[in-house]
């Protein structure tokens, strides 16, 4: 819901930084993999109970997630690059909740499982919608220039990043926050499916 507004603020500086990285011969795929490594390191720190320290690589990983697209725009966008980016994003989004479960399985296990199920369902609805949009030749750049069709929803990347930051800052509230956010993820997926039914029913 907030991605289109966030892109207006962050795209200009990201594009500037992306051109600088591209000029130094750094590829978009390399930035994607660096961002994933940082995100997984943040998850490791969370699993070890180092929530404050986890904020640094978590934020750095999201910076890299924006920079890879900027580097690609400054050089050459590829279908594989877009594919790698979305795969890395989904792994990151799953690793953070899993880390909280590993940190305290007894307290966070049920809520973490619910949250991961909502991510799985929401991700499936997102990718399925992208396939339908591609099949029908639909395009959008409201969330920036993407390889895949990015359908909007109640929760998008910006909201998820804010949610992860809140989890690290208020880790004792993981369970109620996870139940709430997971419910909104389920609602997002259901609304996306209803939109697909309205648009793509022949």
């Amino acid at each position: 819901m907030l991605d289109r507004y966030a892109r207006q603020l962050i795209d200009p500086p990201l594009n500037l930084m992306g051109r600088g990285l591209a000029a130094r011969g750094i590829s978009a795929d390399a930035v994607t993999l660096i961002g994933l490594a940082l995100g997984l390191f943040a998850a490791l720190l969370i699993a070890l109970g180092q929530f404050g320290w986890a904020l640094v690589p978590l934020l750095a990983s999201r910076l890299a997630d924006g920079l890879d697209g900027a580097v690609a725009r400054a050089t050459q966008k590829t279908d594989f690059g877009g594919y790698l980016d979305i795969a890395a994003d989904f792994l990151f989004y799953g690793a953070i909740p899993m880390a909280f479960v590993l940190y305290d399985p007894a307290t966070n296990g049920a809520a973490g499982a619910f949250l991961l199920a909502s991510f799985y369902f929401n991700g499936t609805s997102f990718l399925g919608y992208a396939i339908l949009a591609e099949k029908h030749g639909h395009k959008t750049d409201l969330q920036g220039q993407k390889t895949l069709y990015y359908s909007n929803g109640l929760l998008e990347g910006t909201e998820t990043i804010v949610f992860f930051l809140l989890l690290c800052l208020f880790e004792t509230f993981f369970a109620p926050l996870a139940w709430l956010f997971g419910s909104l993820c389920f609602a997002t997926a259901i609304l996306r499916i209803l939109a697909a039914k309205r648009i793509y029913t022949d």
Side-chain angles (χ1 to χ4, degrees):
M1 192 164 59
L2 298 177
D3 277 9
R4 70 180 66 183
Y5 307 108
R7 301 303 315 189
Q8 295 173 9
L9 295 175
I10 65 175
D11 273 354
L14 284 178
N15 287 334
L16 180 62
M17 295 171 66
R19 288 192 292 270
L21 291 174
R24 290 168 174 79
I26 300 173
S27 71
D29 290 351
V31 177
T32 298
L33 293 174
I34 290 169
L36 175 59
L38 288 165
L40 295 178
F41 181 56
L44 174 62
L45 291 175
I46 290 168
L48 295 174
Q50 302 299 315
F51 304 104
W53 286 109
L55 289 170
V56 177
L58 194 155
L59 288 170
S61 76
R62 295 307 86 196
L63 174 62
D65 183 52
L67 275 174
D68 58 4
V71 173
R73 289 190 291 274
T75 53
Q76 181 181 7
K77 293 189 294 183
T78 67
D79 288 341
F80 175 76
Y83 170 76
L84 180 64
D85 179 53
I86 197 69
D89 282 348
F90 277 38
L91 177 54
F92 165 76
Y93 289 141
I96 298 300
M98 184 180 71
F100 279 95
V101 172
L102 292 174
Y103 169 71
D104 189 349
T107 303
N108 297 338
F114 177 78
L115 182 61
L116 287 170
S118 75
F119 281 5
Y120 182 83
F121 181 44
N122 193 32
T124 301
S125 75
F126 170 81
L127 292 175
Y129 197 104
I131 292 169
L132 290 174
E134 176 70 21
K135 180 179 178 180
H136 289 265
H138 293 169
K139 305 290 183 181
T140 182
D141 60 358
L142 291 178
Q143 281 80 24
Q145 297 179 17
K146 305 288 187 179
T147 303
L148 299 176
Y149 185 100
Y150 270 58
S151 54
N152 60 0
L154 291 175
L155 300 178
E156 298 171 337
T158 302
E159 290 85 358
T160 306
I161 295 167
V162 171
F163 170 62
F164 285 169
L165 294 177
L166 289 174
L167 291 179
C168 289
L169 292 170
F170 305 101
E171 69 277 1
T172 57
F173 294 97
F174 172 84
L177 288 172
W179 286 112
L180 174 61
F181 198 83
S183 297
L184 293 174
C185 280
F186 275 110
T188 298
I190 291 168
L191 290 172
R192 185 177 288 120
I193 290 170
L194 292 174
K197 183 178 186 299
R198 184 179 69 253
I199 296 170
Y200 298 117
T201 298
D202 295 327

